[in-house]
PDB file of all heavy atoms in Angstrom:
ATOM      1  N   VAL A  29       5.160  11.811-212.458  1.00 76.00           N
ATOM      2  CA  VAL A  29       6.300  12.336-212.917  1.00 76.00           C
ATOM      3  C   VAL A  29       7.594  11.710-212.474  1.00 76.00           C
ATOM      4  O   VAL A  29       8.669  12.009-213.206  1.00 76.00           O
ATOM      5  CB  VAL A  29       6.419  13.935-212.385  1.00 76.00           C
ATOM      6  CG1 VAL A  29       5.150  14.606-212.945  1.00 76.00           C
ATOM      7  CG2 VAL A  29       6.398  13.994-210.950  1.00 76.00           C
ATOM      8  N   ALA A  45       5.839  -9.060-219.153  1.00 82.00           N
ATOM      9  CA  ALA A  45       5.102  -8.002-219.675  1.00 82.00           C
ATOM     10  C   ALA A  45       3.604  -8.108-219.554  1.00 82.00           C
ATOM     11  O   ALA A  45       2.967  -7.259-219.237  1.00 82.00           O
ATOM     12  CB  ALA A  45       5.409  -7.960-221.296  1.00 82.00           C
ATOM     13  N   LEU A  95       6.460   3.303-187.917  1.00 90.00           N
ATOM     14  CA  LEU A  95       6.230   4.676-187.434  1.00 90.00           C
ATOM     15  C   LEU A  95       6.418   4.857-185.969  1.00 90.00           C
ATOM     16  O   LEU A  95       6.916   5.820-185.556  1.00 90.00           O
ATOM     17  CB  LEU A  95       4.928   5.094-188.045  1.00 90.00           C
ATOM     18  CG  LEU A  95       4.567   6.547-187.659  1.00 90.00           C
ATOM     19  CD1 LEU A  95       5.540   7.592-188.362  1.00 90.00           C
ATOM     20  CD2 LEU A  95       3.138   6.837-188.186  1.00 90.00           C
ATOM     21  N   ASP A 196      16.674   0.316-169.820  1.00 91.00           N
ATOM     22  CA  ASP A 196      17.554  -0.151-171.028  1.00 91.00           C
ATOM     23  C   ASP A 196      17.094   0.555-172.226  1.00 91.00           C
ATOM     24  O   ASP A 196      18.006   1.057-173.070  1.00 91.00           O
ATOM     25  CB  ASP A 196      17.600  -1.653-171.105  1.00 91.00           C
ATOM     26  CG  ASP A 196      18.699  -2.077-172.139  1.00 91.00           C
ATOM     27  OD1 ASP A 196      19.715  -1.439-172.180  1.00 91.00           O
ATOM     28  OD2 ASP A 196      18.357  -3.147-172.751  1.00 91.00           O
ATOM     29  N   VAL A 206      19.597  13.069-178.506  1.00 93.00           N
ATOM     30  CA  VAL A 206      20.492  14.284-178.414  1.00 93.00           C
ATOM     31  C   VAL A 206      20.942  14.668-179.772  1.00 93.00           C
ATOM     32  O   VAL A 206      20.975  15.724-180.106  1.00 93.00           O
ATOM     33  CB  VAL A 206      21.651  13.940-177.516  1.00 93.00           C
ATOM     34  CG1 VAL A 206      22.689  15.040-177.416  1.00 93.00           C
ATOM     35  CG2 VAL A 206      21.082  13.794-176.059  1.00 93.00           C
ATOM     36  N   VAL A 216      15.055  27.413-181.499  1.00 90.00           N
ATOM     37  CA  VAL A 216      14.201  27.688-180.374  1.00 90.00           C
ATOM     38  C   VAL A 216      14.714  28.617-179.449  1.00 90.00           C
ATOM     39  O   VAL A 216      14.130  29.503-178.955  1.00 90.00           O
ATOM     40  CB  VAL A 216      13.792  26.380-179.722  1.00 90.00           C
ATOM     41  CG1 VAL A 216      12.885  26.636-178.629  1.00 90.00           C
ATOM     42  CG2 VAL A 216      13.099  25.494-180.627  1.00 90.00           C
ATOM     43  N   ASP A 231       5.090  47.047-171.053  1.00 89.00           N
ATOM     44  CA  ASP A 231       4.656  47.744-169.967  1.00 89.00           C
ATOM     45  C   ASP A 231       3.941  46.812-168.836  1.00 89.00           C
ATOM     46  O   ASP A 231       4.183  47.223-167.725  1.00 89.00           O
ATOM     47  CB  ASP A 231       3.618  48.699-170.463  1.00 89.00           C
ATOM     48  CG  ASP A 231       4.199  49.920-171.317  1.00 89.00           C
ATOM     49  OD1 ASP A 231       5.475  50.146-171.266  1.00 89.00           O
ATOM     50  OD2 ASP A 231       3.458  50.446-172.198  1.00 89.00           O
ATOM     51  N   LEU A 235       4.504  46.918-164.884  1.00 88.00           N
ATOM     52  CA  LEU A 235       3.478  46.975-163.862  1.00 88.00           C
ATOM     53  C   LEU A 235       3.386  45.894-162.898  1.00 88.00           C
ATOM     54  O   LEU A 235       3.142  45.932-161.702  1.00 88.00           O
ATOM     55  CB  LEU A 235       2.043  46.990-164.652  1.00 88.00           C
ATOM     56  CG  LEU A 235       0.752  46.864-163.845  1.00 88.00           C
ATOM     57  CD1 LEU A 235       0.676  48.194-163.107  1.00 88.00           C
ATOM     58  CD2 LEU A 235      -0.421  46.710-164.753  1.00 88.00           C
TER      59      LEU A 235
END
Side-chain angles (χ1 to χ4, degrees):
V29 300
L95 184 61
D196 190 27
V206 170
V216 177
D231 292 339
L235 178 62

